[in-house]
Amino acid sequence: QVQLVESGGGSAQPGGSLRLSCKASGFTLDPHAIVWFRQAPGKEREGVSCISTSDGSRYYDDSMKGRFTISRDMAENTVYLQINSLEPEDTANYYCGRYYGYQCTDWFQSSFMDYWGKGTLVTVSS
């Protein structure tokens, strides 16, 4: 049974950091692409970052370059999202999805995910 389980969310102050985890089970990450999305209250789900686990290629939404870092640990079958310099605007549910293909082509299209996790909530406030 394919599952993605996010963790690592919580409350943080502006300027802080969080590392989110996306633990995969029921399949091995390689060669799939894994995508992080987020959805703020009242807003549409938006793509944050994608990693092609086969070659480590990484892609980010232009507005999130610099503060977000996606990485993978193949031994742990887990993809991570490091968020630095947190801003209140980062408050959202963060979801990971398994992209239907092996490369991050059109990765920001949520309809191209074949499996989703249930999300982890990040709240940034002072």
Side-chain angles (χ1 to χ4, degrees), residues 6-10 20-21 36 92-96 117-122:
E6 302 94 335
S7 62
L20 310 183
S21 301
W36 280 99
N93 269 304
Y94 285 73
Y95 301 88
C96 61
K118 294 183 179 181
T120 185
L121 178 63
V122 171

Side-chain angles (χ1 to χ4, degrees), residues 27-99:
F27 72 102
T28 54
L29 286 180
D30 190 358
H32 297 276
I34 301 295
V35 185
W36 280 99
F37 284 81
R38 70 181 185 182
Q39 188 166 17
K43 295 188 177 181
E44 292 187 356
R45 192 169 295 193
E46 61 178 347
V48 175
S49 182
C50 179
I51 187 166
S52 173
T53 62
S54 59
D55 62 10
S57 299
R58 307 175 189 189
Y59 302 84
Y60 300 91
D61 179 87
D62 285 344
S63 67
M64 301 181 199
K65 288 180 181 177
R67 296 193 301 115
F68 292 76
T69 303
I70 194 169
S71 62
R72 74 202 195 282
D73 184 330
M74 306 303 278
E76 294 294 325
N77 220 36
T78 299
V79 171
Y80 300 98
L81 184 70
Q82 177 75 33
I83 314 174
N84 296 326
S85 302
L86 282 161
E87 303 173 352
E89 293 72 25
D90 295 322
T91 295
N93 269 304
Y94 285 73
Y95 301 88
C96 61
R98 192 180 80 171
Y99 187 68

Side-chain angles (χ1 to χ4, degrees), residues 37 45-46 106-114 116:
F37 284 81
R45 192 169 295 193
E46 61 178 347
D106 293 329
W107 61 270
F108 44 86
Q109 300 281 1
S110 61
S111 59
F112 289 170
M113 307 304 123
D114 57 6
W116 288 98

